[in-house]
Amino acid sequence: MTNKPLQEERMRGYFMQATKELLKGEGLKSINVRNIAQQAGYSYATLYNYFRDVRELVFLCVNDFQEECAAEIKVKVKDTPEGTERIQAITEAYIAYFVQYPSVFNLFFIEKLGDLGQKQPAANLIYTFLNRLCEEDWEHAVWAQNIERSRADETKTALNYMACGMLVYYMNRIQPADFKEFMQIVRKQVTLVMKSLV
Amino acid sequence: MTNKPLQEERMRGYFMQATKELLKGEGLKSINVRNIAQQAGYSYATLYNYFRDVRELVFLCVNDFQEECAAEIKVKVKDTPEGTERIQAITEAYIAYFVQYPSVFNLFFIEKLGDLGQKQPAANLIYTFLNRLCEEDWEHAVWAQNIERSRADETKTALNYMACGMLVYYMNRIQPADFKEFMQIVRKQVTLVMKSLV
DNA sequence: GAATATAATTAACAATGTTAATATTAAGTA
DNA sequence: TACTTAATATTAACATTGTTAATTATATTC
């Protein structure tokens, strides 16, 4: 008695595991079908029995990285009081995560999923990620500080854009040069955006 | 009597012209040595007599695009009064330019120049572009509205990051779907950032 | 006009994504 | 158990792209 869907799921898992290992290890430049397949212990053509193409495979990893990122952040901010203060802390941790894993950043924000046909779900997943991370805290802030929801939404959006912009500059332009300085700017800018709440 | 440097400069010009035509026409996906060389009327290997590699060629176009963009913006904002109001107008026109030419956007913000060895100058050129476009107006604003310079610098930086972030989201994630709506969000967000001045 | 330097072209190679053809393994049945 | 067929995996092959080497064409100089 065989269970085909389960087996296929396992196979996909092996390839995804391999992809994630490569991404976090060697980085994006090592991502190609032959490397991935070797890391998974299969031949490169086998991959095509389980994924439409290599991009589908790579973008299926987005979910896993988000879970990992969310877990990491949860630990980091567990002692920060709920509300705007924690929104700042989460945003900073979010940025720090991507700095730690540049390939994940590229995967999330740079690689074009546009070409990826039906993968708009992945785009939404990415677009809403920071907001989901901060959801409770926004609720709390709106309630506790009596903030207008439309105002909160604008600030939320601003935070989202700002975080992305800072990451793009830091990652692609090496600007500023060092991480510590970068995180200081991040803190300043996040504070500045949060000020628009009141 | 020949003038080698002049001739070489001309050759470089032909290839750069071809590259720019392709970028603005077919887009980034059509950029490869064979296409560029054909568009320039030469063989693909000839390119390597004038540029280290294809990326050097492409990034040499950054300058030209910036000039074009600056000229376009100048026309657009010529009736807007100097100062913060024009900073907003310039920022919006800057964003609109990149939406109009997605390949230029990719070239400026997405393509990694990191690998490009000694091309940090290009990175700086890009990083400072919006600030240079608004330079006079910032001077005017600081002077006319008696704004602290450190405060102005923070807002300037925020605007820079914000513009980049909005573009990344709109370009890569198709979010929001339509240009008009996007530009409304842009206006709102720019206004929000500019409020941090006072 | 022959010899040489310069520049451009074609040929060739390596890396990568993808598909087609082949081989291998597993499942089902007499 | 042995044979047939379906499934899965592998190797071979092809297309695209960047790059370099070998070759050909052009221009310069004596």
Side-chain angles (χ1 to χ4, degrees), chain B residues 2-196:
Chain B
T2 68
N3 186 335
K4 190 139 82 154
L6 174 64
Q7 290 173 349
E8 288 192 355
E9 203 41 56
R10 279 197 188 123
M11 287 296 284
R12 266 192 286 275
Y14 300 148
F15 282 108
M16 283 169 65
Q17 184 58 32
T19 306
K20 286 186 281 176
E21 282 163 12
L22 283 177
L23 268 173
K24 296 182 73 170
E26 315 279 320
L28 251 189
K29 62 197 167 310
S30 73
I31 293 293
N32 63 63
V33 278
R34 285 165 176 84
N35 277 350
I36 292 171
Q38 185 182 23
Q39 183 81 4
Y42 287 92
S43 166
Y44 49 87
T46 306
L47 194 152
Y48 290 90
N49 292 331
Y50 301 97
F51 304 93
R52 181 150 41 99
D53 54 32
V54 70
R55 280 173 311 165
E56 178 179 48
L57 163 54
V58 169
F59 281 107
L60 281 173
C61 299
V62 166
N63 244 317
D64 294 13
F65 283 124
Q66 285 199 348
E67 279 170 22
E68 179 193 82
C69 175
E72 217 169 271
I73 290 174
K74 201 164 219 165
V75 173
K76 266 195 188 170
V77 306
K78 69 174 196 301
D79 296 329
T80 309
E82 201 173 14
T84 54
E85 200 178 339
R86 197 156 71 184
I87 291 171
Q88 287 198 230
I90 290 174
T91 305
E92 285 167 29
Y94 167 89
I95 289 172
Y97 175 84
F98 289 116
V99 172
Q100 197 185 345
Y101 301 114
S103 318
V104 181
F105 165 74
N106 278 303
L107 180 56
F108 274 42
F109 294 100
I110 303 301
E111 291 291 315
K112 287 165 234 9
L113 1 180
D115 318 338
L116 198 49
Q118 205 42 265
K119 283 306 158 201
Q120 190 65 13
N124 281 325
L125 222 55
I126 292 168
Y127 180 67
T128 61
F129 186 36
L130 180 58
N131 291 342
R132 278 183 284 121
L133 288 170
C134 297
E135 198 155 38
E136 289 177 38
D137 295 280
W138 277 115
E139 284 308 315
H140 183 276
V142 166
W143 168 78
Q145 301 180 229
N146 198 31
I147 294 166
E148 258 187 81
R149 197 163 284 274
S150 66
R151 167 59 53 96
D153 283 343
E154 264 189 38
T155 303
K156 208 187 289 185
T157 304
L159 215 52
N160 218 0
Y161 287 141
M162 181 66 72
C164 178
M166 290 190 288
L167 280 166
V168 167
Y169 270 99
Y170 183 61
M171 295 301 200
N172 273 10
R173 312 266 165 258
I174 315 124
Q175 207 290 333
D178 113 278
F179 178 64
K180 218 166 190 148
E181 195 189 337
F182 174 61
M183 287 311 289
Q184 277 167 4
I185 295 177
V186 165
R187 177 154 303 185
K188 257 194 199 158
Q189 292 287 319
V190 170
T191 307
L192 185 137
V193 169
M194 291 302 286
K195 264 195 225 143
S196 72

Side-chain angles (χ1 to χ4, degrees), chain A residues 12-171:
Chain A
R12 266 192 286 275
Y14 298 149
F15 282 107
M16 283 169 65
Q17 185 57 34
T19 306
K20 287 186 282 177
E21 282 164 14
L22 284 177
L23 269 171
K24 296 181 75 170
E26 315 279 320
L28 251 189
K29 60 195 167 312
S30 73
I31 291 295
N32 64 62
V33 279
R34 284 165 175 84
N35 277 350
I36 292 171
Q38 186 182 22
Q39 183 82 6
Y42 287 92
S43 167
Y44 51 86
T46 306
L47 193 151
Y48 290 90
N49 293 330
Y50 300 97
F51 304 93
R52 181 150 40 99
D53 55 32
V54 71
R55 279 172 311 164
E56 180 180 47
L57 164 55
V58 169
F59 280 108
L60 281 173
C61 300
V62 167
N63 243 317
D64 294 12
F65 283 125
Q66 285 199 350
E67 280 169 23
E68 180 192 80
C69 174
E72 215 168 274
I73 290 174
K74 200 162 221 168
V75 173
K76 266 195 190 170
V77 306
K78 69 175 196 299
D79 296 328
T80 310
E82 201 174 13
T84 53
E85 200 178 337
R86 198 158 69 183
I87 290 171
Q88 287 198 230
I90 290 174
T91 305
E92 285 167 30
Y94 167 91
I95 289 172
Y97 175 84
F98 289 116
V99 172
Q100 196 186 344
Y101 301 114
S103 317
V104 181
F105 166 74
N106 277 304
L107 180 56
F108 273 41
F109 293 101
I110 302 301
E111 291 291 313
K112 285 163 236 13
L113 2 181
D115 318 339
L116 196 50
Q118 207 41 267
K119 283 307 160 206
Q120 191 63 14
N124 280 324
L125 222 57
I126 292 168
Y127 180 67
T128 61
F129 185 37
L130 181 56
N131 291 342
R132 278 183 285 123
L133 288 170
C134 297
E135 198 156 38
E136 287 176 39
D137 294 280
W138 277 114
E139 284 308 314
H140 184 276
V142 166
W143 167 78
Q145 300 181 232
N146 199 30
I147 294 166
E148 257 189 80
R149 198 165 284 273
S150 65
R151 166 60 51 98
D153 283 343
E154 264 187 39
T155 303
K156 208 188 288 184
T157 305
L159 214 52
N160 218 359
Y161 287 141
M162 180 67 71
C164 177
M166 289 190 290
L167 281 166
V168 167
Y169 270 99
Y170 182 61
M171 295 301 198

